[in-house]
Amino acid sequence: MSSPSDQTRRMIILTALATAVCASSSRPAAAEEDPPGSDLRPQKADVLVFADGDRAGEVIKPEDLKLGGPAVRAWPRDPKTAVIRKGSRLNELVVVKLDPAELDDDTRPRSADGIVAYSAICSHAGCLITAWVKAAQGDKEVLKCFCHNSEFDPRRSAQVVFGPAPRRLAALPLVMADGSLTIAGAFIGKPGVQQGG
C-alpha cells in the first residue's frame, strides 16, 4: 500500500514524463513548418521584404519608404527559393530612408541611396526595436527600444545615443539591384545581446 505522498510523487513524475514526450514529439512537426534556409542569417543577394502589415512578405522598393522615416520592419528573403528568413528573430531588421548627406562616413558606404538596415533586436536585453521617435537629447528621430529606453542613431552606424544599451545595433550593408533593396554582405557586428563577459 502506498502513502498519499508516494502517489503525489508518482503523479508528478508521470506528468513530467508525459510533458517531455509531448514536447519532443511536437518538435519535428514545428521544425517542418519552417522551410529549409529560413533560419540562416541574411545572405548576400537576399532581398528585403516587409515583416508585417498588409504588405507582409512583399519586396521593399525604395519608393515604399518615406525620406526621413518612419522605419519599417523587414525580413531577408532568398530571391531564388522565396524563403523568408524568419526562422530566427535575430534576422529581423529595421529599415529607414535618410538623406545620404546626413550619414557619417562609416554608414554611407553601407547604405543604398541613404537607405540603411539594422538588426531590430536591441543589444541591451534583446527586446524588439519598435519605434522611430524624436531623440531624448537632440532634435533628430532615432530608433528606440521601449523596454529600457535605449536609443540608436541610424545616421551614425546605430550608435547608442541614450539608455543602457552597451553597443550599437548590428548593421546590414545594402545595395540597389533591379529596383529592390538587396543585401550586400553579412551583418557588421553581432545582432542581439552578447553573452558572457
Side-chain angles (χ1 to χ4, degrees):
M1 194 115 177
S2 60
S3 71
S5 64
D6 288 340
Q7 290 176 346
T8 302
R9 264 184 267 156
R10 274 193 213 111
M11 188 57 111
I12 290 171
I13 291 170
L14 288 174
T15 301
L17 286 172
T19 301
V21 168
C22 282
S24 66
S25 67
S26 66
R27 285 188 200 280
E32 290 172 5
E33 291 174 16
D34 289 331
S38 65
D39 60 344
L40 292 177
R41 288 288 165 265
Q43 305 290 305
K44 187 174 182 177
D46 281 357
V47 295
L48 298 186
V49 298
F50 288 100
D52 53 15
D54 294 341
R55 301 187 60 196
E58 288 183 28
V59 173
I60 300 172
K61 307 276 187 188
E63 57 270 18
D64 295 328
L65 303 172
K66 183 179 171 192
L67 182 64
V72 300
R73 291 181 31 234
W75 292 108
R77 185 178 83 185
D78 184 323
K80 294 179 181 148
T81 65
V83 169
I84 297 175
R85 300 192 195 283
K86 61 181 180 177
S88 169
R89 69 186 295 267
L90 296 178
N91 290 345
E92 191 164 1
L93 306 166
V94 287
V95 180
V96 64
K97 184 177 189 176
L98 301 165
D99 179 348
E102 291 185 346
L103 304 180
D104 71 12
D105 291 341
D106 290 332
T107 307
R108 194 174 304 112
R110 293 194 297 261
S111 75
D113 299 326
I115 301 170
V116 292
Y118 296 102
S119 170
I121 307 302
C122 183
S123 60
H124 176 240
C127 298
L128 191 63
I129 304 293
T130 58
W132 178 248
V133 298
K134 285 271 188 216
Q137 301 169 347
D139 62 345
K140 301 254 185 208
E141 285 85 6
V142 292
L143 299 166
K144 184 169 184 112
C145 175
F146 278 119
C147 287
H148 301 97
N149 293 315
S150 290
E151 295 178 354
F152 305 87
D153 185 351
R155 297 160 195 83
R156 298 183 329 180
S157 300
Q159 288 285 348
V160 179
V161 293
F162 186 80
R167 62 185 170 82
R168 70 179 83 192
L169 299 174
L172 197 60
L174 300 177
V175 294
M176 291 299 302
D178 300 323
S180 300
L181 292 173
T182 304
I183 296 172
F187 273 117
I188 298 166
K190 182 180 180 202
V193 179
Q194 267 185 325
Q195 302 299 320

